[in-house]
Amino acid sequence: MSTVNIQREAKLQNCYNQLVETIYRIEFPADHQLPQVRSLAMTCGWNIDNSISDSIALKAKAINAKPMGPVLPNTVASNATPDDRGPQVGFNSQEFEPSPLDELSKLELTQEEKQIDNNPVAQQQYQYIQQAVANKSLGFSFQVHPMIQQFINYYRGRGQKTMETGLYRSGMFMRMARRIFKEEGIPENVAWLGQVESAWKPVAMSHMAASGLWQFIPGTGDRYGLKRNAYVDERNSLDEATRASARYLKFLFNRYGNWELAMAGYNCGEGNVDKAIRRAGVANFWQAYPYLPKETRDYVPNILAVILVANNPSEYGFGHVRPAAPMQYDRIRVPASTNLNIVAQAADVNVQYIRFLNPHFRSNVTPPEPYIVNIPAGKANEVVALFRRIPASKISNTNLASSAAGETWQNISNRTSVSVADLMAANPGMAAPKGKVFVPVAGNNIQATSYSRPTNVPKAPTVSNVRIVKAKAGDTVAKIAARENLNAGEVAKFNGLLPNSVLGAGREIKVPTK
């Protein structure tokens, strides 16, 4: 909303982008990506004491050690209860939830969960696994192993709530995921990997700075075209991140020739899998198993267990879970730097819902280029028609108002405090209000914010004599006024400042003589 064109000056643009990134790293700290305040100061040309810069990074690291509470309500099946809500943080209301991968890395199966032979139910289910793989009913093949049944035992016991939550939330995203995976030539059931990665939370973040439904780390996200800048983190997007995940899995499958190793590579990277294969002497997950990281050894059978349960929930005691309704939305392209408030007004929803459909936005403004935005289903034609009526140059300083049948421009003027002339100028060719009408912000008593010194400062009081006073370190306008026995408000107004404005040492302040 500022009048400053940041893109026009390279130094200012670099400073601004790095500033936003630093704020992001302070509010969402990760050990591998601490805020680089020294680098920021050098980019922006600021003189900041290095000890202060280093202390910020250390504080962010300390915050990272504390668990972050969930943000979105964990609405689950009938007999499941939501997690307790913890402290919430967020940059421009973008809030993160802990990734289930962090808990998975600590999971140890109990002796009871590992027991199959002396458990008639587990034996029957293990036979079902063998039959499902032999029939290729899941759309892809994998090698049957007792550990898969052991993770099913876990989900039927102490992991029941986790499975119920995942099956419920999967309803929002699996239709979209299946479609994209199919388009990319990936078995649709492999998309259940998302349940283990994030429990279907679009803003999940792990301690390794992996983020989104598909838990991309920054490097892999960049590799598959997911943008990260001051405006968006597409690792948290819905369609884009899902397509990137499918393409990465396809690359891994082509590399290793089987889905177990492809899933392993997704978790720990190709380097670790290549090393394990070299040590095992064969490209087989279960033979490479001892040489893989602990988390990856659990990760693959865990996903296979989830796939089996999800495809036959009644067999495993989850027939009572009803998945959530699919997230439905239209996708439209909006002009550069569009404020999400006008998108929300055009779609008859609040901006929080637009942010819910677009979890990758870091703020309420789209990037400075035409960009695709998810909007409520069925609203595409209406919203696009509205955007076509308004010049792109005016999108950032326009609001919308809904008019009722029979209303006049004067009625709308009365409730928006915008003149009839301004309203008619903003809606050319509309003799009377009809549907949604444009309301110019400039005529709505809302001033654009400028971060340069304002030229329209209040006029100084008329005085015959003026004296210059130099501020001391730590001075404010109010302190100088007190020393001079003057009214702080008058001195502030005289200098175009606020009474609590902090002044640098040596700054000249005008004060009227008595």
Side-chain angles (χ1 to χ4, degrees):
M1 296 174 68
S2 168
T3 59
V4 176
N5 186 343
I6 293 173
Q7 278 69 41
R8 188 170 294 173
E9 186 179 340
K11 183 177 179 182
L12 180 58
Q13 182 180 10
N14 292 337
C15 174
Y16 175 78
N17 289 341
Q18 195 167 341
L19 173 62
V20 175
E21 183 70 21
T22 303
I23 294 171
Y24 182 75
R25 289 301 162 203
I26 291 172
E27 297 203 339
F28 307 132
D31 286 336
H32 299 282
Q33 289 185 308
L34 294 175
Q36 302 296 322
V37 182
R38 285 197 189 189
S39 175
L40 171 66
M42 292 178 62
T43 301
C44 297
W46 298 338
N47 184 18
I48 298 179
D49 188 279
N50 285 338
S51 62
I52 296 176
S53 304
D54 296 341
S55 71
I56 292 173
L58 290 173
K59 287 179 180 178
K61 189 170 184 178
I63 293 171
N64 187 37
K66 300 176 182 178
M68 296 168 64
V71 178
L72 295 177
N74 279 335
T75 311
V76 295
S78 57
N79 64 339
T81 56
D83 293 331
D84 293 334
R85 292 172 63 86
Q88 298 183 30
V89 297
F91 176 71
N92 266 325
S93 300
Q94 186 189 32
E95 299 160 331
F96 284 87
E97 303 182 67
S99 166
L101 284 178
D102 292 343
E103 290 301 316
L104 175 63
S105 64
K106 306 170 189 173
L107 179 64
E108 296 286 347
L109 294 174
T110 65
Q111 289 302 316
E112 184 179 358
E113 290 162 349
K114 291 178 181 179
Q115 187 60 252
I116 298 176
D117 294 339
N118 297 326
N119 184 332
V121 175
Q123 279 186 325
Q124 180 182 349
Q125 291 173 349
Y126 191 48
Q127 290 172 2
Y128 167 75
I129 297 174
Q130 295 170 320
Q131 183 180 357
V133 172
N135 293 340
K136 299 183 179 179
S137 59
L138 298 173
F140 70 103
S141 298
F142 57 88
Q143 187 175 340
V144 179
H145 191 278
M147 269 197 77
I148 302 171
Q149 181 60 46
Q150 290 170 7
F151 270 95
I152 290 175
N153 293 345
Y154 162 75
Y155 283 122
R156 291 179 60 245
R158 59 191 175 117
Q160 178 183 357
K161 179 184 171 183
T162 301
M163 178 60 73
E164 287 175 334
T165 302
L167 292 177
Y168 174 83
R169 292 181 63 91
S170 72
M172 292 186 279
F173 307 105
M174 269 303 287
R175 178 187 292 181
M176 175 267 297
R178 285 183 180 277
R179 171 180 57 81
I180 291 176
F181 272 51
K182 183 177 181 179
E183 290 171 357
E184 295 295 332
I186 303 296
E188 295 176 32
N189 270 317
V190 176
W192 285 103
L193 172 145
Q195 180 156 321
V196 175
E197 285 286 345
S198 67
W200 304 112
K201 298 174 183 178
V203 290
M205 178 175 276
S206 77
H207 72 287
M208 296 296 290
S211 189
L213 285 174
W214 307 99
Q215 289 292 286
F216 278 102
I217 60 173
T220 312
D222 291 343
R223 178 173 156 192
Y224 283 87
L226 299 178
K227 298 176 183 176
R228 290 171 60 248
N229 52 42
Y231 306 94
V232 294
D233 186 344
E234 289 183 344
R235 296 179 301 158
N236 298 333
S237 63
L238 303 181
D239 293 69
E240 289 79 10
T242 302
R243 195 168 297 279
S245 174
R247 289 176 177 174
Y248 185 31
L249 283 163
K250 188 173 186 176
F251 162 80
L252 291 166
F253 177 76
N254 290 337
R255 185 184 184 99
Y256 299 119
N258 64 76
W259 285 108
E260 296 101 307
L261 287 175
M263 293 173 184
Y266 194 97
N267 179 252
C268 67
E270 304 97 283
N272 284 320
V273 175
D274 291 346
K275 187 190 303 181
I277 291 172
R278 284 196 300 271
R279 297 182 68 182
V282 61
N284 178 284
F285 173 78
W286 295 109
Q287 293 191 43
Y289 179 91
Y291 311 111
L292 289 166
K294 165 66 169 63
E295 180 182 324
T296 307
R297 296 201 297 266
D298 289 343
Y299 176 85
V300 173
N302 192 348
I303 293 173
L304 297 175
V306 168
I307 291 172
L308 286 156
V309 172
N311 276 270
N312 195 352
S314 298
E315 170 73 20
Y316 298 102
F318 294 98
H320 62 282
V321 179
R322 294 292 176 264
M327 279 188 69
Q328 298 185 34
Y329 48 86
D330 293 339
R331 289 166 65 78
I332 64 170
R333 191 181 300 275
V334 300
S337 303
T338 295
N339 195 302
L340 295 185
N341 285 290
I342 194 170
V343 177
Q345 291 167 1
D348 296 315
V349 295
N350 57 41
V351 74
Q352 286 79 14
Y353 188 65
I354 297 296
R355 292 292 295 273
F356 172 70
L357 295 177
N358 297 272
H360 53 297
F361 283 128
R362 284 183 167 180
S363 72
N364 285 347
V365 180
T366 65
E369 60 186 359
Y371 198 80
I372 293 175
V373 176
N374 300 333
I375 63 171
K379 290 287 185 178
N381 291 339
E382 182 180 343
V383 175
V384 168
L386 281 165
F387 274 98
R388 283 176 176 166
R389 283 172 44 201
I390 184 171
S393 60
K394 294 186 178 180
I395 281 179
S396 61
N397 61 353
T398 299
N399 281 327
L400 292 174
S402 296
S403 61
E407 268 198 306
T408 65
W409 287 117
Q410 187 60 56
N411 296 139
I412 296 177
S413 174
N414 292 342
R415 58 188 170 90
T416 61
S417 300
V418 178
S419 71
V420 170
D422 285 343
L423 287 169
M424 294 184 71
N427 297 270
M430 193 181 288
K434 184 178 180 181
K436 289 186 174 67
V437 297
F438 296 117
V439 180
V441 171
N444 201 18
N445 298 322
I446 300 176
Q447 302 299 320
T449 304
S450 173
Y451 292 97
S452 57
R453 185 179 174 85
T455 57
N456 58 336
V457 294
K459 292 183 179 179
T462 303
V463 292
S464 56
N465 296 304
V466 174
R467 187 161 55 88
I468 302 298
V469 175
K470 288 191 176 182
K472 302 175 184 177
D475 264 352
T476 63
V477 172
K479 286 183 180 180
I480 291 178
R483 286 203 299 266
E484 299 293 328
N485 293 320
L486 296 171
N487 181 280
E490 290 181 0
V491 175
K493 187 176 180 181
F494 194 29
N495 290 272
L497 300 168
L498 297 173
N500 61 351
S501 295
V502 179
L503 309 171
R507 175 156 181 184
E508 296 182 346
I509 296 296
K510 300 173 186 175
V511 297
T513 56
K514 297 179 182 178

